[in-house]
Amino acid sequence: MSFWGLAQLGVSTVIFLLAAMAAKQWGLAPSLAKILLTLALYSAGNLIMLRLIREFGMSVSFSLSAVIQLVSVNVVALAFFGERLNALQATGVVLAIAAVALITLGPYMQRL
């Protein structure tokens, strides 16, 4: 993946993280402005993802985005919103990260 691709992935991750935070704020106190902001942020993130899909393919783009979002959203939910995961849920998050890593790295590991 090129530097430009990583930069786009980083920008889309920040946008998706802001969208998730806006969605949480909407969930706590619903308003039209919050839902419109949430929708606009998710739309912007998905437009960037379309560029990544064209450049790097669907499997790589979505897999990397999914694991980065999974980790970052959980960090924000735990650190800033005081949410907690029980042991089973935490195990599921770890297994999801491992699954996406295997999917993403699988084609490259077969070449070795």
Side-chain angles (χ1 to χ4, degrees):
M1 186 171 271
S2 67
F3 174 76
W4 177 239
L6 286 174
Q8 289 179 80
L9 184 61
V11 169
S12 73
T13 300
V14 169
I15 291 171
F16 281 128
L17 190 56
L18 291 171
M21 291 169 61
K24 176 67 175 183
Q25 290 300 321
W26 177 84
L28 295 172
S31 73
L32 181 61
K34 288 177 185 175
I35 196 69
L36 292 176
L37 175 63
T38 301
L39 291 170
L41 288 167
Y42 275 124
S43 296
N46 280 313
L47 288 172
I48 294 171
M49 285 304 299
L50 290 174
R51 293 182 54 84
L52 288 169
I53 291 167
R54 183 176 33 195
E55 189 172 343
F56 302 109
M58 188 170 78
S59 64
V60 171
S61 298
F62 280 120
S63 295
L64 288 174
S65 179
V67 76
I68 292 169
Q69 286 183 53
L70 175 69
V71 171
S72 61
V73 165
N74 274 284
V75 167
V76 168
L78 298 171
F80 296 105
F81 292 107
E83 295 183 9
R84 298 287 169 240
L85 297 175
N86 64 34
L88 188 59
Q89 291 169 323
T91 302
V93 170
V94 170
L95 290 173
I97 293 168
V100 172
L102 289 172
I103 291 166
T104 304
L105 297 174
Y108 303 106
M109 297 304 287
Q110 287 178 347
R111 295 179 188 161
L112 297 177

